Amino acid sequence: MNVDPVIGLEIHVELSTQSKAFCSCAVAFGGAPNTRCCPVCCGVPGTLPVLNEKMLEYAVLAGLAFGCEIQSYTRFDRKNYCYPDLPKGYQISQHAHPLCRGGEVAFTLPDGKRETAGICEIHMEEDTAKQSATGIDYNRAGVPLIEIVTGPDFRSAEAVLAFLSHVKSVLEYLEISDCRMQEGSFRVDVNLSIKPSHRETPGTRTEMKNLSSFRAVAAAIEHESQRQIQILESGGQVEQETRRWDETNRCSVPMRTKVDAGDYRYFPEPDIPPIRLTTEYIEGQKAALPEFAPALTARLVADYGIAPTDARIITANKQIATLFESAAKAAKSAQEVARWVTGELMYQLHIQGMTPAELALSPATLAVLADAVTDGIVNRTAAKQVFGYLCSGGTDVMGYIGIHGLGQMSDEAVITAAVEQVLTAHPSVVTAYRDGQTKVFGFFVGEVMQKLDGKGNPAKIRSALQERLGTIH
Ligand code: ADP
Ligand code: MG
Ligand code: ZN
């Protein structure tokens, strides 16, 4: 059977406001269970919710960034269902009048091809409590969320992942969510059906809820496509249901049969007045949108002459991009700064398990280090040691170079002597070089560098070696 998967997404994003959607409890992740809740978010009868204006502002920004039409009239609805993680017995959400409708998002596939996906709506709602095997934690109850609903516009896991990483980047650049999937700030529901290519309409769909890593999204799409295809090929029918992706056993299991909108008995939330947004307000927010990663990438290439691949690595994170640009402005060579940011900086973040936000390195300090390399004060090997010191909170580049004797050795007599010693110590390698194995040149450079305690000027070592080996020919 020639078939295509048809995929639509619902993405829940926790907004990084200070306080919750309808009370003043803190939103920040963590904290001892049930220490960040109050009568409002625990749903004690008689309490009243008050809308957090930041939630509205952040949701408007998201809508504008994804090309949606911000509705001038919007309101909350009660979505009624009974679950232990929902203390009130209903969730304050939006149904009849979501904040944002329409919209189209362009994104780039790994092979460079451009695609677009439609946004059906973006609405505001509150998060539920978190249930575990041992109990329930109300710290998350009432955390402000936006839900982004896409059209059934994706045909492959690859397209879904490219779209999700674009969406994540936009939200991070807007600074309205930390999008930490491992902490549940960015959760994806995958709706999937199978469309035989000779048919106009897709078949029955299933929904897989709360996927919390790109890996899980890709695996869930792969497995669910195969499961549905097998059912259809054996003449069966796909049940419309909500399934749970089991990451440990890498399979989806039924959770419940799909509930239709009617089952939730939505009605207008009586405790929160409808919201009317003026054109001036919406236009004002539009003017405040930042430059996003794709535009910034192009600009960094044009303004600083760095390679597009480096620019993409740099703009993958807004804080890194800001660090790069400030340092590049202050330094003599933007390329040298790019080299440190894309290389050693990424490496340090990786081995120290740090996020860019936790990095102590200032742009001014990074520029001083880059200049020290550009000016030949230290070579790159020694500069890595300085960089490690900067990443653990150090700030005095020149002082550190002085104290640790890392200054570059450029004395030609000393370098020539070291070259002489190395060539004398390795006659067979010299013979190999003479026989045309020119790649052993790197070996010589390494050996000479070692003799000079890693402090030799690499350009001078190379030219001294070339000169000496030239006479051997
Ligand atoms: P509901 O209100 O029942 O959740 P929606 O129409 O809001 O249904 O759609 C929810 C999600 O399901 C959307 O992301 C949409 O793109 C997706 N979807 C709708 N039809 C299909 C289909 N046939 N196959 C895959 N996904 C679909
Ligand atoms: Mg839905
Ligand atoms: Zn509260």
Side-chain angles (χ1 to χ4, degrees):
M1 189 159 45
N2 202 357
V3 294
D4 279 328
V6 174
I7 305 159
L9 306 171
E10 291 159 280
I11 309 168
H12 287 92
V13 181
E14 285 182 351
L15 301 176
S16 47
T17 51
Q18 291 285 315
S19 53
K20 290 186 180 179
F22 307 112
C23 64
S24 55
C25 295
V27 158
F29 183 78
N34 299 307
T35 55
R36 291 171 183 168
C37 48
C38 72
V40 176
C41 53
C42 286
V44 175
T47 57
L48 284 174
V50 177
L51 175 64
N52 178 352
E53 266 181 51
K54 273 283 168 199
M55 173 193 201
L56 176 66
E57 181 190 321
Y58 284 7
V60 168
L61 285 171
L64 290 168
F66 295 122
C68 301
E69 195 166 312
I70 310 299
Q71 307 298 297
S72 55
Y73 175 90
T74 184
R75 69 152 206 243
F76 288 95
D77 293 297
R78 278 192 190 180
K79 182 179 187 180
N80 298 281
Y81 63 104
C82 187
Y83 247 50
D85 62 5
L86 200 66
K88 295 198 285 280
Y90 61 86
Q91 180 188 31
I92 303 181
S93 181
Q94 295 198 286
H95 182 63
H97 293 275
L99 176 67
C100 318
R101 290 186 195 271
E104 201 170 62
V105 175
F107 58 100
T108 311
L109 292 181
D111 66 5
K113 230 177 83 201
R114 295 282 283 170
E115 283 212 10
T116 58
I119 303 285
C120 304
E121 65 171 71
I122 301 179
H123 64 253
M124 298 177 281
E125 61 187 30
E126 58 180 334
D127 211 343
T128 58
K130 205 150 72 185
Q131 219 181 326
S132 70
T134 50
I136 190 149
D137 177 7
Y138 287 109
N139 287 357
R140 201 181 71 176
V143 166
L145 293 179
I146 50 173
E147 179 174 337
I148 304 171
V149 184
T150 77
D153 297 345
F154 305 93
R155 297 290 174 273
S156 67
E158 192 186 43
V160 167
L161 296 194
F163 173 80
L164 289 175
S165 71
H166 175 82
V167 167
K168 241 173 122 250
S169 166
V170 168
L171 297 168
E172 284 164 354
Y173 268 73
L174 285 171
E175 296 181 41
I176 63 173
S177 172
D178 61 29
C179 291
R180 290 195 194 130
M181 294 185 88
Q182 68 282 13
E183 292 180 2
S185 325
F186 186 94
R187 318 193 288 264
V188 181
D189 300 347
V190 168
N191 297 274
L192 188 146
S193 64
I194 297 295
K195 189 179 88 63
S197 39
H198 61 274
R199 286 243 235 99
E200 273 301 304
T201 49
T204 306
R205 73 174 190 268
T206 62
E207 181 181 18
M208 282 166 293
K209 282 195 121 33
N210 286 335
L211 298 161
S212 57
S213 71
F214 279 19
R215 206 181 91 124
V217 169
I221 290 173
E222 198 50 51
H223 283 70
E224 183 61 11
S225 302
Q226 291 312 319
R227 192 188 70 87
Q228 290 190 19
I229 289 170
Q230 263 165 23
I231 293 176
L232 296 175
E233 280 181 346
S234 61
Q237 273 196 331
V238 175
E239 292 288 327
Q240 179 162 340
E241 62 190 355
T242 300
R243 300 178 70 87
R244 185 173 57 81
W245 175 250
D246 180 342
E247 182 60 16
T248 320
N249 297 309
R250 305 180 69 71
C251 64
S252 72
V253 288
M255 199 158 105
R256 54 170 188 253
T257 54
K258 172 110 177 83
V259 195
D260 280 325
D263 298 329
Y264 289 121
R265 320 309 297 174
Y266 281 103
F267 65 86
E269 168 58 56
D271 290 340
I272 303 172
I275 303 159
R276 283 170 212 280
L277 295 176
T278 64
T279 316
E280 293 76 58
Y281 174 79
I282 297 167
E283 289 303 316
Q285 295 300 326
K286 200 184 248 174
L289 289 179
E291 181 181 36
F292 292 106
L296 180 57
T297 304
R299 191 170 62 73
L300 292 184
V301 171
D303 289 1
Y304 297 95
I306 61 172
T309 44
D310 283 350
R312 275 193 289 275
I313 295 171
I314 289 167
T315 59
N317 178 282
K318 187 179 184 172
Q319 276 140 344
I320 301 272
T322 308
L323 172 68
F324 165 79
E325 190 165 18
S326 310
K329 279 195 178 121
K332 292 178 178 165
S333 160
Q335 279 99 331
E336 189 61 39
V337 174
R339 194 172 175 140
W340 285 98
V341 172
T342 56
E344 204 58 17
L345 178 66
M346 294 298 167
Y347 173 71
Q348 288 288 338
L349 289 176
H350 178 70
I351 59 164
Q352 302 202 27
M354 280 195 306
T355 65
E358 291 161 334
L359 195 72
L361 183 64
S362 82
T365 312
L366 176 57
V368 172
L369 178 67
D371 284 355
V373 177
T374 306
D375 292 340
I377 295 167
V378 275
N379 67 28
R380 289 208 179 86
T381 314
K384 279 187 189 170
Q385 196 180 323
V386 185
F387 196 86
Y389 149 81
L390 298 180
C391 285
S392 32
T395 52
D396 184 5
V397 174
M398 291 311 174
Y400 188 88
I401 291 172
I403 290 167
H404 293 83
L406 295 175
Q408 184 158 269
M409 238 290 310
S410 295
D411 185 329
E412 280 177 24
V414 179
I415 290 175
T416 313
V419 164
E420 217 44 63
Q421 282 175 24
V422 167
L423 297 185
T424 316
H426 299 283
S428 59
V429 189
V430 172
T431 311
Y433 180 83
R434 208 183 299 143
D435 292 345
Q437 289 191 39
T438 47
K439 58 174 189 282
V440 301
F441 191 79
F443 165 77
F444 291 136
V445 175
E447 288 293 302
V448 174
M449 190 60 103
Q450 212 168 18
K451 281 232 173 303
L452 300 171
D453 293 329
K455 284 179 260 169
N457 178 328
K460 292 223 159 103
I461 293 175
R462 288 179 165 274
S463 66
L465 268 170
Q466 255 147 9
E467 199 172 301
R468 185 67 185 82
L469 286 166
T471 66
I472 291 172
H473 261 294

